[in-house]
């Protein structure tokens, strides 16, 4: 097998990057032209793919007419020579493969996003790349039909993950299965796993540990049966032999079979028709009930909680609203959405705090809005817009909408025209949603050719305010010194969003005062090891994610160097104190030191360099007794820069003068002789304290020297190693401090940008009735009539044909006294337009992989709470504002309050 791999690599090395690019392009185009249901695609980590794209495109000019597969979604990396990628490494996409359940296969992380974390390659493309480069693991996925008409093709990246529970014994196993597989296939798989016959079992949809339906329609697909991700399936054994099941395959370790609850408890749970019922206490607070996350449904949960805690809706849906349901509205959902929402709202306002599973509501939602079916992450604002519109149509009091033709203003007073438009709107749309959430704005269009002015007054349900698009991003990197002159420190800089590593290194160099004789070596840390050296100045910063961890090392500029990687290890809990290599586990942040290859590399020099770099972390008491035995003579005549006390950082440190001791002695003389293990070929470890004068021989192909530092409890007490722990993320979301908000973007500024006059985009030109042609008119919006509840959407997400971006801009929004008086063009109502924030949704994280929460003020208690799926907890008002705010809910301040504030 190794010989085959070597031959494959040899053949690929004969191809130039251009030849590889053209061959893959041709294979990809042919594969995509013939794609069909049942085809296999393969996941490939985005980082490796981007490296290969840059490699094969490095000599390509930017040709807009080149429609090749590899340039369709990515830009050329420039003309800098790039190294050929190493073997394919998909390890960043998967959990620990060693612990994978053989039924579920290799599990990938649940929050991966196509185009950011991975790409999908046709089988033929994967086969060719794998032949050239080898590696893995292999992650195949099947093409299935999707959509309402089942004619759209999609790759099922996340097959259903189901937990099979066997009754009455209580065994269980996890299985991965396509949602397009039939119930019969699920039966067969369950019987194979637990060594049962088809006649022995009945299988139930056991969502929420409750029997929902007997799954006996063998030809029905799991998708049609509404089986959801991570739900339970009950395998009920009929007439078990001798009071139990036969020996199961699931008893092996690979099936992860565990004993769950006792049979009596499970039996009682099955007999309860409504599952677990929360115990309510008289006088307990209402409205503090969380929503269970059914699998990436935090976007739905956050939006629902904000609507449920809108006082007007809470009152309306807890009363008898059935008489207002419009059962015949062709634009509605025959009342089913309103009924499902009303039932969910009542559960959330019932006494008690047992989290509610919104599965019935999710089922209705998927039925009427297929775009929200399945369990992918979605935009909570898009869901909110659908809910408000759908609830309006279901509750529209107008049973027969009259046809009304709107007239242009034609010079009439704005007040008259606005009232006419609003009356026409109410004649067709009259519901609790209109009463509470709908306002009106004035839209003015001016033709740039004939100056024709068109004025209309249109309703709105929410305002989508633009954020000032930033072209920069904030990045935090921990800077280390290699000469022991300073402690590590986190450095936060601002760089171009589409910049390259050279931009980041330049900003860090300026911020950390790098000398002319020094340079910064940038590395990415993952799992306490160095994932990659970011030495290529042309590496795009877009390949560095916000949750990555970076470190930079101040090192001297040397011509011919190798890098010394210092990997910290500590003993796993529960092991004895004897130094057994298998008992040590990496932890903390690895350190990097440059070492010149022009001179002979001696063990004693390495010992001195390591001690020098770690010396700032010595605790004061230990520093007074620092001794490194036998190294003075070992390093005599070496590079003077290796002097332990140079640089002024360790003036209290002393080098022992015991030169007459045996230099090669392995017996520790000082309490500060850290155990250092040199990692050689085949991962063999050599104690560096044995023969400090011996030269270290390295393979010519080796670019790094790997050394383990084993931290026993004795040394952890002498060094303050917390500086090596908890390396900060590149960008961390959370409550924004005052220091970080020195120049915030005001919500008023966003509103002014929304109302500013600007030309229409070419794709949305206006038909001028006077010119009889489409014109790129200028458009001006003005607020005219404001609703009781004003919903404001901050447009954080932007989409293009091939890219998605999230704006991280912090918006300073008022919690109290949001005054819109001066932004309302209508002067008919002279009272002040004051609003107060009572709810908002937050989006934390990046595109696709983020998480939604809600902050809600219970008006009866005058107290804020955080709603994070099932978890509901009180928060201070100061915590409400953050850079994650996404959709804001404001209530109009009562008239008497507004008058009092004048």
């Amino acid at each position: 097998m190794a010989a085959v791999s070597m031959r494959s690599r040899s053949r690929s090395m004969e191809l130039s990057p251009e030849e590889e690019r053209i061959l893959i392009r041709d294979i990809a185009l042919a594969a995509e032209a013939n794609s069909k249901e049942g085809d296999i695609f393969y996941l490939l980590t985005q980082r490796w793919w981007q490296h290969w794209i840059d490699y094969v495109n490095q000599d390509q000019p930017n040709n807009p007419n080149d429609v090749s597969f590899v340039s369709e979604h990515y830009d050329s990396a420039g003309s800098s020579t790039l190294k050929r990628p190493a073997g394919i490494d998909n390890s960043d996409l998967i959990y620990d493969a060693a612990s994978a359940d053989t039924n579920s296969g290799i599990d990938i992380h649940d929050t991966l996003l196509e185009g950011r974390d991975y790409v999908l390659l046709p089988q033929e493309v994967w086969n060719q790349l794998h032949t050239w480069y080898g590696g893995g693991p292999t992650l195949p996925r099947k093409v299935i039909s999707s959509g309402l008409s089942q004619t759209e093709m999609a790759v099922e990246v996340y097959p259903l993950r189901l937990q099979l529970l066997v009754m009455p014994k209580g065994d269980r196993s996890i299985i991965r299965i396509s949602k397009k597989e039939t119930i019969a296939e699920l039966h067969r798989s369950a019987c194979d796993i637990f060594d049962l016959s088809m006649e022995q079992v009945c299988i139930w949809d056991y969502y929420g540990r409750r029997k929902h339906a007997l799954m006996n329609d063998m030809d029905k697909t799991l998708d049609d049966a509404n089986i959801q991700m991570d739900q339970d399936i009950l395998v009920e054994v009929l007439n078990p032999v001798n009071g139990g099941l036969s020996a199961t395959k699931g008893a092996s370790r690979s099936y992860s079979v565990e004993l769950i609850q006792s049979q009596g408890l499970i039996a009682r749970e099955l007999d309860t028709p409504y599952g677990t019922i929360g115990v309510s206490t008289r006088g307990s607070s209402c409205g503090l009930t969380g929503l269970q996350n059914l699998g990436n449904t935090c976007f739905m949960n956050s939006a629902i909680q904000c609507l449920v805690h809108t006082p007007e809706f809470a009152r309306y849906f807890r009363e008898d609203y059935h008489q207002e349901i419009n059962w015949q509205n062709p634009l509605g959902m025959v009342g089913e959405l309103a009924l499902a929402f009303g039932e969910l709202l009542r559960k959330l306002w019932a006494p008690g705090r047992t989290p509610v599973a919104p599965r019935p509501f999710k089922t209705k939602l998927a039925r009427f809005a297929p775009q929200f079916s399945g369990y992918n992450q979605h935009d909570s604002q898009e869901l909110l817009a659908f809910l408000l519109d759908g609830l309006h149509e279901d509750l529209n009091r107008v049973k027969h909408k009259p046809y009304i033709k709107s007239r242009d203003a034609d010079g009439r007073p704005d007040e008259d025209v606005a009232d006419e438009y609003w009356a026409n709107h109410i004649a067709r749309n009259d519901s609790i949603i209109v009463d509470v959430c709908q306002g009106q704005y004035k839209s003015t269009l001016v033709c740039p050719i004939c100056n024709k002015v068109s004025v209309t007054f249109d309703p709105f349900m929410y305002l989508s305010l633009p954020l000032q698009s930033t072209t920069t991003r904030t990045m935090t990197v921990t800077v280390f010194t290699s000469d022991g002159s300073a402690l590590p420190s986190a450095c936060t800089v601002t760089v171009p969003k589409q910049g390259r590593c050279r931009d980041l290194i330049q900003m860090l160099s300026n911020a950390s005062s790098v000398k002319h004789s020094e340079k910064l070596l940038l590395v990415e840390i993952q799992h306490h090891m160095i994932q990659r050296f970011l030495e290529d100045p042309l590496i795009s910063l877009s390949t560095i994610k916000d949750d990555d961890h970076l470190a930079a090392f101040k090192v001297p500029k040397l011509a011919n160097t190798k890098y010394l990687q210092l990997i910290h290890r500590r003993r796993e809990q529960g092991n004895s104190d004897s130094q057994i290599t298998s008992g040590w586990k990496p932890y903390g942040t690895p350190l990097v030191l440059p070492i010149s290859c022009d001179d002979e590399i001696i063990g004693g020099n390495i010992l001195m360099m390591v001690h020098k770099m770690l010396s700032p972390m010595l605790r004061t008491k230990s520093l007074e007794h620092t001794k490194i035995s036998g190294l003075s003579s070992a390093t005599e005549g070496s590079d003077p820069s290796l002097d332990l006390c140079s640089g002024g950082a360790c003036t209290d440190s002393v080098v022992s003068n015991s030169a007459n001791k045996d230099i090669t002695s392995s017996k520790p003389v000082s309490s500060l002789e850290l155990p250092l293990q040199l990692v050689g070929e085949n991962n063999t470890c050599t104690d560096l304290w044995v023969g400090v004068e011996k030269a270290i021989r390295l393979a010519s192909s080796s670019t790094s020297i790997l050394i383990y530092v084993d931290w026993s409890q004795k040394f952890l007490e002498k060094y303050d190693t917390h500086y090596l722990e908890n390396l900060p993320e590149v960008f961390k979301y959370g409550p924004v401090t005052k220091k970080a908000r020195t120049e915030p973007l005001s919500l008023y500024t966003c509103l002014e940008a929304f109302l500013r006059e600007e030309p229409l985009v070419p794709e949305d030109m206006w038909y001028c009735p006077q010119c009889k042609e489409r014109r790129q008119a200028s458009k001006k919006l003005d607020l005219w009539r404001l609703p009781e509840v004003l919903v404001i959407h901050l447009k954080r997400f932007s989409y293009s044909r091939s890219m998605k971006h999230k704006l991280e801009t912090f918006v300073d929004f008022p919690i109290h006294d949001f005054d819109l008086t001066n932004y309302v063009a209508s002067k008919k109502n002279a009272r002040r337009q004051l609003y107060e924030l009572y709810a908002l949704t937050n989006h934390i994280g990046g595109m696709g992989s983020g998480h939604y929460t809600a902050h809600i003020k219970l008006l009866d208690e005058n107290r804020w709470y955080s709603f994070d799926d099932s978890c509901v907890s009180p928060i201070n008002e100061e915590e409400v504002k953050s850079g994650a705010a996404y959709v804001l809910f404001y209530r109009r301040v009562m008239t008497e309050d507004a008058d009092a504030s004048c």
Side-chain angles (χ1 to χ4, degrees):
M1 194 68 177
V4 173
S5 177
M6 290 300 294
R7 285 197 300 272
S8 298
R9 288 176 178 271
S10 176
R11 286 196 298 270
S12 67
M13 290 300 288
E14 297 173 2
L15 296 179
S16 66
E18 171 67 1
E19 290 171 330
E20 283 192 26
R21 184 184 71 85
I22 293 174
L23 184 56
I24 291 297
R25 179 198 63 187
D26 294 344
I27 295 173
L29 291 175
E32 290 185 343
N34 300 311
S35 61
K36 61 186 181 303
E37 185 176 2
D39 284 353
I40 301 297
F41 275 64
Y42 288 79
L43 275 73
L44 176 63
T45 176
Q46 175 70 32
R47 292 189 178 184
W48 191 95
W49 174 248
Q50 187 64 53
H51 187 173
W52 184 81
I53 290 291
D54 292 341
Y55 168 69
V56 299
N57 278 310
Q58 58 186 314
D59 295 321
Q60 290 295 310
N62 290 322
N63 182 4
N65 298 318
D66 186 359
V67 292
S68 69
F69 175 76
V70 294
S71 62
E72 182 178 356
H73 303 292
Y74 305 93
D75 294 326
S76 172
S79 60
S80 176
T81 302
L82 295 174
K83 294 180 180 178
R84 189 173 187 274
I88 294 171
D89 182 11
N90 278 335
S91 59
D92 59 335
L93 303 181
I94 65 173
Y95 290 107
D96 183 11
S99 61
D101 190 321
T102 55
N103 298 309
S104 60
I106 299 177
D107 250 352
I108 63 174
H109 291 288
D110 291 331
T111 56
L112 299 179
L113 184 65
E114 184 181 2
R116 187 200 66 185
D117 301 302
Y118 68 88
V119 293
L120 289 167
L121 301 181
Q123 184 171 8
E124 296 84 351
V125 174
W126 166 265
N127 288 343
Q128 185 60 70
L129 288 175
H130 193 260
T131 298
W132 287 340
Y133 293 92
T138 302
L139 303 172
R141 292 296 185 267
K142 188 179 293 186
V143 175
I144 61 172
S145 58
S146 62
L148 278 177
S149 61
Q150 296 293 303
T151 57
E152 300 173 11
M153 296 294 109
V155 179
E156 191 179 32
V157 175
Y158 289 100
L160 291 174
R161 181 173 53 214
L162 306 175
Q163 180 169 238
L164 307 179
L165 304 177
V166 180
M167 284 293 295
K169 187 174 181 181
D171 290 335
R172 70 181 182 184
S173 180
I174 304 294
I175 185 175
R176 279 281 192 182
I177 187 170
S178 171
K179 64 182 180 180
K180 292 300 180 181
E181 289 289 1
T182 61
I183 290 176
E185 182 59 32
L186 179 62
H187 272 72
R188 280 192 290 271
S189 298
C191 290
D192 287 345
I193 292 170
F194 297 108
D195 199 15
L196 301 169
S197 65
M198 296 281 283
E199 295 75 23
Q200 277 184 278
V201 300
C202 287
I203 289 187
W204 293 83
D205 178 353
Y206 195 41
Y207 186 91
R209 299 295 176 90
R210 172 183 163 199
K211 285 184 176 180
H212 283 273
L214 179 63
M215 301 175 67
N216 56 1
D217 186 349
M218 297 299 177
D219 295 327
K220 198 173 189 179
T221 66
L222 300 180
D223 192 25
D224 293 336
N226 201 25
I227 301 302
Q228 309 295 347
M229 178 70 78
D230 288 326
Q231 79 157 73
D232 295 336
I233 298 294
L234 181 64
V235 181
E236 197 171 45
V237 182
L238 307 176
N239 301 320
V241 180
N242 298 325
L245 300 175
S246 59
T248 66
K249 298 177 184 177
S252 67
R253 175 186 174 189
S254 62
Y255 288 103
S256 302
V257 174
E258 302 168 11
L259 212 58
I260 54 175
Q261 306 171 35
S262 67
Q263 294 183 30
L265 180 60
I266 295 176
R268 287 194 297 273
E269 187 177 327
L270 290 175
D271 294 336
T272 304
Y274 300 105
T276 306
I277 300 175
V279 179
S280 61
T281 306
R282 187 179 297 276
S284 63
S285 297
C286 296
L288 294 177
T289 302
L291 286 166
Q292 292 180 13
N293 193 319
L294 307 179
N296 279 332
T297 55
C298 58
F299 76 96
M300 181 182 76
N301 293 349
S302 61
I304 288 175
Q305 291 286 15
C306 290
L307 290 180
V308 162
H309 287 86
T310 299
E312 293 81 357
F313 295 155
R315 285 194 297 270
Y316 179 85
F317 284 99
R318 282 188 286 176
E319 296 171 354
D320 184 12
Y321 62 92
H322 293 75
Q323 60 185 359
E324 292 203 335
I325 292 179
N326 192 329
W327 307 100
Q328 288 83 33
N329 187 355
L331 299 178
M333 292 85 181
V334 292
E336 291 191 35
L337 184 65
L339 288 171
F341 179 80
E343 181 183 357
L344 181 57
L345 181 144
R346 293 185 180 199
K347 288 180 180 178
L348 293 175
W349 277 102
R353 298 184 64 171
T354 303
V356 173
R359 194 191 189 206
F361 180 82
K362 178 71 169 64
T363 302
K364 296 292 184 186
L365 181 67
R367 177 181 172 188
F368 293 109
Q371 65 269 32
F372 299 116
S373 63
Y375 287 84
N376 293 323
Q377 184 70 278
H378 294 279
D379 189 332
S380 69
Q381 187 274 332
E382 292 179 0
L383 172 72
L384 180 67
F386 171 80
L387 283 181
L388 289 173
D389 188 61
L391 290 172
H392 159 66
E393 295 296 353
D394 265 6
L395 299 169
N396 196 347
R397 303 176 185 113
V398 179
K399 303 301 188 275
H400 303 285
K401 295 185 178 184
Y403 172 74
I404 301 173
K405 185 176 181 180
S406 298
R407 293 189 300 154
D408 204 351
D410 288 331
R412 291 182 294 158
D414 283 349
E415 287 75 11
D416 295 343
V417 179
D419 288 345
E420 178 184 288
Y421 269 82
W422 188 253
N424 292 344
H425 176 66
I426 295 299
R428 294 172 55 84
N429 302 277
D430 183 17
S431 70
I432 180 64
I433 306 299
V434 175
D435 297 342
V436 175
C437 292
Q438 285 202 350
Q440 186 183 37
Y441 57 72
K442 174 186 176 182
S443 175
T444 305
L445 292 168
V446 180
C447 177
I449 306 301
C450 68
N451 293 321
K452 163 69 178 176
V453 178
S454 173
V455 177
T456 58
F457 292 84
D458 303 311
F460 67 83
M461 195 89 76
Y462 51 86
L463 299 178
S464 287
L465 304 188
L467 305 189
Q468 291 179 341
S469 179
T470 176
T471 59
T472 60
R473 67 183 289 198
T474 300
M475 301 183 75
T476 298
V477 180
T478 302
V479 179
F480 295 81
T481 60
S482 61
D483 60 0
S485 59
L487 286 167
S489 61
C491 185
T492 300
V493 296
T494 301
V495 294
K497 256 191 176 180
Q498 305 303 321
R500 299 187 180 272
C501 275
R502 62 189 175 198
D503 302 309
L504 176 58
I505 292 172
Q506 181 62 50
M507 296 304 295
L508 288 172
S509 299
N510 296 339
S512 58
S513 303
V514 174
K515 302 174 184 176
H516 290 296
S517 59
E518 296 176 323
K519 67 175 182 178
L520 280 183
L521 178 64
L522 194 64
V523 300
E524 180 185 339
I525 309 297
Q526 201 175 100
H527 305 305
H528 312 295
M529 304 288 283
I530 294 177
Q531 173 71 16
R532 57 172 172 162
F533 286 86
L534 299 169
E535 292 185 279
D536 186 347
L538 296 181
I539 293 176
S540 174
L541 293 181
S542 63
T543 64
I544 302 173
K545 296 185 284 188
D546 284 345
D547 57 355
D548 284 342
H549 301 268
L550 298 185
F553 298 91
K554 288 184 183 180
V555 298
K557 292 179 180 177
L558 299 174
N560 185 20
T561 60
K562 290 184 183 291
Y563 291 119
L564 180 69
Q565 294 187 38
L566 209 60
I567 308 299
H568 307 282
R569 301 193 302 178
R570 63 181 173 189
R571 192 176 299 284
E572 292 180 296
Q573 293 295 327
N575 286 3
S576 65
D577 198 41
S578 60
Q579 292 190 6
I580 303 172
T581 304
S582 60
W584 297 88
K585 189 174 182 180
Y587 95 105
T589 305
L591 302 178
V592 177
L593 287 163
I595 190 164
S596 175
C597 296
D598 293 333
D599 301 320
E600 196 173 36
I601 302 174
I602 298 174
N605 287 352
I606 292 178
L607 292 170
M608 292 288 287
M609 293 173 69
V610 171
H611 180 79
K612 184 176 180 181
M613 190 173 192
L614 295 176
S615 60
M617 286 178 277
L618 274 169
R619 301 184 191 275
T620 305
K621 188 175 180 180
S622 300
L623 195 61
E624 297 172 357
H625 305 288
T626 302
K627 291 183 180 180
I628 305 297
S629 69
L631 295 185
S632 296
S633 58
T635 58
E636 198 171 309
S638 300
D639 188 346
S641 67
L642 296 175
D643 182 6
L644 181 62
C645 295
S646 66
C650 51
T651 53
D652 295 331
S653 299
V654 182
V655 178
S656 174
N657 291 321
S658 54
N660 56 346
K661 293 185 178 290
D662 183 4
I663 293 171
T664 61
S665 173
S666 63
K667 181 180 179 181
V669 178
S670 167
S671 61
L672 293 180
E673 292 176 351
L674 277 170
L676 301 181
Q677 304 281 337
L678 175 67
V679 182
E681 295 182 10
N682 303 320
N683 290 325
T684 57
C685 293
T686 305
D687 188 348
L688 271 179
W689 287 96
V690 178
V692 293
E693 281 191 325
K694 291 184 178 179
I696 296 174
R697 301 187 183 279
L698 298 172
S700 58
S701 59
S702 173
T703 58
S704 296
I705 304 172
L706 196 64
I707 291 180
Y708 289 143
V709 183
D710 292 338
W711 292 93
S712 64
Q713 188 59 39
K714 177 179 68 175
F715 289 106
L716 289 173
E717 292 172 358
K718 296 181 182 297
Y719 284 85
D720 189 358
T721 59
H722 87 272
Y723 296 103
L724 302 175
E725 302 170 10
N726 303 319
L727 195 67
E729 295 178 354
V730 168
F731 186 85
K732 182 71 174 177
Y733 278 89
V736 179
T737 63
K738 290 183 179 179
K739 184 176 180 181
R741 290 192 267 122
T742 52
E743 294 183 3
L745 176 63
S746 166
L747 185 61
Y748 291 107
T749 305
C750 298
L751 180 60
E752 289 163 4
F754 173 73
L755 299 176
R756 189 178 299 125
E757 182 176 356
E758 59 184 14
L760 297 173
V761 295
E763 296 81 16
D764 191 26
M765 291 200 296
W766 171 62
Y767 181 80
C768 176
Q770 193 161 294
C771 296
K772 306 296 183 184
E773 289 187 27
R774 292 197 173 275
R775 301 295 188 192
Q776 192 174 4
S778 63
K779 184 176 183 178
K780 173 74 170 72
L781 294 178
D782 292 289
L783 299 179
W784 190 266
R785 187 190 310 264
L786 295 179
E788 293 303 308
V789 170
L790 179 62
V791 181
I792 294 179
H793 164 225
L794 303 177
K795 296 174 69 174
R796 293 198 176 276
F797 300 115
S798 61
Y799 304 89
S800 62
R801 185 178 66 87
S802 59
M803 297 294 292
K804 301 176 183 178
H805 299 286
K806 180 187 174 185
L807 300 178
E808 315 290 358
T809 311
F810 173 81
V811 178
D812 186 9
F813 51 89
I815 296 178
H816 306 284
D817 297 332
F818 182 33
D819 192 350
L820 295 175
T821 306
N822 296 330
Y823 296 93
V824 178
S826 173
K827 304 306 177 185
K828 191 174 183 179
N829 193 334
R831 72 173 183 176
R832 293 184 68 187
Q833 304 288 332
L834 288 178
Y835 284 83
E836 181 174 284
L837 186 76
Y838 72 92
L840 70 154
T841 64
N842 303 296
H843 182 270
I844 305 165
M847 290 287 295
S849 63
H851 179 60
Y852 286 96
T853 65
H855 290 163
I856 295 171
K857 184 178 184 180
L858 256 62
L859 300 180
D860 292 340
E861 296 184 16
N862 195 32
R863 188 173 186 182
W864 284 91
Y865 288 86
S866 170
F867 286 73
D868 187 352
D869 291 330
S870 299
C871 180
V872 180
S873 57
I875 57 173
N876 297 322
E877 189 172 279
E878 294 76 24
E879 299 176 67
V880 171
K881 289 188 180 183
S882 78
Y886 185 41
V887 181
L888 310 174
F889 291 75
Y890 283 93
R891 289 188 75 224
R892 187 195 297 276
V893 176
M894 299 300 291
T895 305
E896 52 268 28
D897 296 336
D899 293 338
S901 65
C902 293

